[in-house]
Amino acid sequence: MDMNQYLNMFIDESNDHLQSLNENMLQLESNPTDLGIVQVIFRSAHTLKGMAATMGFEDLASLTHQMENVLDLVRNNKLAMHEFIFDTLFKGLDALESMVQNITEGGDGKADVSSIVASLQSIVSGDFQKSGRGAVSEDSSSKNADSSDSTGLVLDQFQYSVLEQSISEGHRVHYIQVTISSDSQLKAARAFMVFNTLENSGEIVKSYPSVQDIEQEKFDQSFSLYYITQKEVGELEKEIAGISEIDTVSVVKLDQESLRQMSEVTAGLAEAAVVQEASVTAGHPAPSQPQSSAAASAAKPAAGKAPAAKAAAPTHNRTIRVDIERLDVLMNLFSELLIDRVRLEQLASEASIRLSPRRWSI
């Protein structure tokens, strides 16, 4: 099947989706936790990938697919946006714009995006945090981890009220941190044993990471939780430390004042982390700015082609998009026009008047 007849439409649609991706990425920088924006970005990337694959532009489809994998983790709350992810996605958008520009100039849309693909794959696997890739230093990585921990430990109003009320009624509220041995091959199983031990004599109000993530081993070696019980600190430490492959245990008893202070500190750190992520990643070029150097370099080979090749390049703006409601109105008016025409012909026939085109002169 010859797809060249759809090339002009592909170029127009791709430019629209790229503009949408850029605009929504800039909005997401200002509000990195807004999953509604992430969902819109994901849909645009998914549509662009499908169009590129259909038209046979494999490099374009492959890069968009890798970006889509990252966005899928973010929209499902399995990955939090931060500086390296923003930088990599914006580099991907620059490369996509370059490839579409190359196609517009009559090229094949091919480009070497192996480094960007590798960065995207490291985000999906989580290796980028360990290796410090993407210009993320070891210090900043640890700060991001601390900020992430603080964000996960933030109590909502209901959880805070439960803990505060428990203290008022004479129960013991503890903040517990557990580190599993790095040699453990069954982190999730060891964590489950800790949870099971604690639930036999109390109630876990909140854990970080979440229970679901811990069950799927989506955590490093440690986890933390808020816990209500009647047991003392030493007794809890002994029980947890007695579980196989538990490296360290820290149990801190909280009163109302320490609970309030801890809640305020974690909430403040979480808010600061979000603001810092938004401010650090600011400054990426808006869609209306000139194309990047990568786009310019991709366009140079096409500009140097022979006149015959230039003549073969596709022309823009041969398609126009109209709102479906307006098309419905137009079709209704056209139908009424046909009905009126048939009615007039019937009346003319009855009056023995032949309707034929005439030129009247005065």
Side-chain angles (χ1 to χ4, degrees):
M1 180 178 180
D2 184 14
M3 303 300 295
N4 289 329
Q5 56 181 318
Y6 302 109
L7 186 57
N8 294 323
M9 185 180 298
F10 167 77
I11 292 173
D12 289 338
E13 292 287 343
S14 295
N15 285 324
D16 285 349
H17 283 293
L18 287 172
Q19 181 177 355
S20 174
L21 285 167
N22 271 296
E23 291 174 352
N24 285 290
M25 280 293 295
L26 291 171
Q27 290 183 24
L28 186 62
E29 279 188 308
S30 302
N31 192 0
T33 59
D34 191 337
L35 297 184
I37 300 177
V38 177
Q39 188 69 25
V40 173
I41 296 173
F42 177 84
R43 285 199 299 266
S44 290
H46 182 73
T47 303
L48 182 58
K49 179 195 73 173
M51 293 193 306
T54 302
M55 295 296 296
F57 299 120
E58 296 180 2
D59 287 357
L60 185 60
S62 177
L63 176 57
T64 314
H65 177 64
Q66 298 297 333
M67 296 172 67
E68 185 184 17
N69 289 341
V70 173
L71 294 166
D72 187 48
L73 293 177
V74 176
R75 69 174 183 151
N76 288 306
N77 281 315
K78 297 178 180 178
L79 181 67
M81 294 294 296
H82 59 75
E83 182 180 0
F84 180 55
I85 299 177
F86 273 115
D87 286 344
T88 306
L89 289 175
F90 271 109
K91 288 177 183 177
L93 285 178
D94 287 342
L96 291 177
E97 289 175 352
S98 300
M99 287 188 276
V100 172
Q101 179 66 25
N102 180 253
I103 294 169
T104 302
E105 297 292 338
D108 55 9
K110 292 185 178 298
D112 182 10
V113 292
S114 56
S115 61
I116 302 176
V117 169
S119 296
L120 292 168
Q121 290 175 341
S122 73
I123 293 173
V124 174
S125 65
D127 292 338
F128 77 103
Q129 290 178 324
K130 301 174 185 177
S131 61
R133 296 170 63 182
V136 179
S137 65
E138 185 176 353
D139 291 339
S140 62
S141 296
S142 61
K143 288 179 182 177
N144 286 339
D146 293 341
S147 299
S148 179
D149 290 343
S150 302
T151 305
L153 289 172
V154 174
L155 296 168
D156 60 32
Q157 189 169 2
F158 173 75
Q159 292 166 341
Y160 182 84
S161 299
V162 169
L163 294 173
E164 187 179 40
Q165 184 68 24
S166 298
I167 294 173
S168 301
E169 294 176 356
H171 298 285
R172 294 183 177 89
V173 172
H174 300 287
Y175 173 71
I176 303 175
Q177 287 183 307
V178 179
T179 302
I180 300 174
S181 173
S182 58
D183 299 331
S184 175
Q185 300 297 319
L186 299 170
K187 294 190 300 181
R190 300 307 173 192
F192 173 78
M193 293 174 68
V194 173
F195 276 69
N196 190 49
T197 299
L198 293 175
E199 288 173 348
N200 287 335
S201 55
E203 179 182 355
I204 299 172
V205 176
K206 182 179 178 66
S207 69
Y208 180 78
S210 66
V211 175
Q212 181 178 2
D213 285 344
I214 291 175
E215 288 177 349
Q216 298 175 2
E217 291 197 358
K218 294 181 179 179
F219 68 106
D220 291 329
Q221 301 299 131
S222 61
F223 58 91
S224 52
L225 52 92
Y226 288 96
Y227 181 60
I228 302 173
T229 186
Q230 287 294 342
K231 292 190 174 183
E232 295 286 354
V233 171
E235 190 177 0
L236 289 173
E237 288 180 341
K238 184 178 180 180
E239 287 183 355
I240 298 173
I243 298 173
S244 177
E245 296 184 345
I246 297 299
D247 193 4
T248 61
V249 181
S250 173
V251 181
V252 178
K253 183 180 178 181
L254 303 176
D255 55 21
Q256 289 188 342
E257 180 62 21
S258 59
L259 175 65
R260 181 185 64 79
Q261 291 177 352
M262 190 167 186
S263 179
E264 289 177 354
V265 169
T266 53
L269 287 174
E271 183 178 356
V274 172
V275 173
Q276 183 181 14
E277 288 171 2
S279 61
V280 167
T281 54
H284 290 285
S288 58
Q289 293 179 342
Q291 64 180 16
S292 64
S293 57
S297 62
K300 284 180 182 178
K305 289 184 178 180
K310 279 189 175 181
T315 6
H316 284 299
N317 301 324
R318 288 185 177 177
T319 60
I320 182 171
R321 282 175 289 283
V322 181
D323 186 80
I324 191 67
E325 294 181 357
R326 295 190 178 185
L327 288 177
D328 289 338
V329 172
L330 179 61
M331 291 300 294
N332 290 335
L333 291 174
F334 186 69
S335 299
E336 292 178 7
L337 179 62
L338 289 177
I339 293 172
D340 291 340
R341 177 184 173 182
V342 171
R343 181 59 179 159
L344 286 173
E345 288 178 348
Q346 289 177 346
L347 293 173
S349 177
E350 292 173 1
S352 299
I353 300 176
R354 182 180 299 276
L355 286 180
S356 60
R358 286 186 176 182
R359 181 170 296 175
W360 299 90
S361 59
I362 299 177

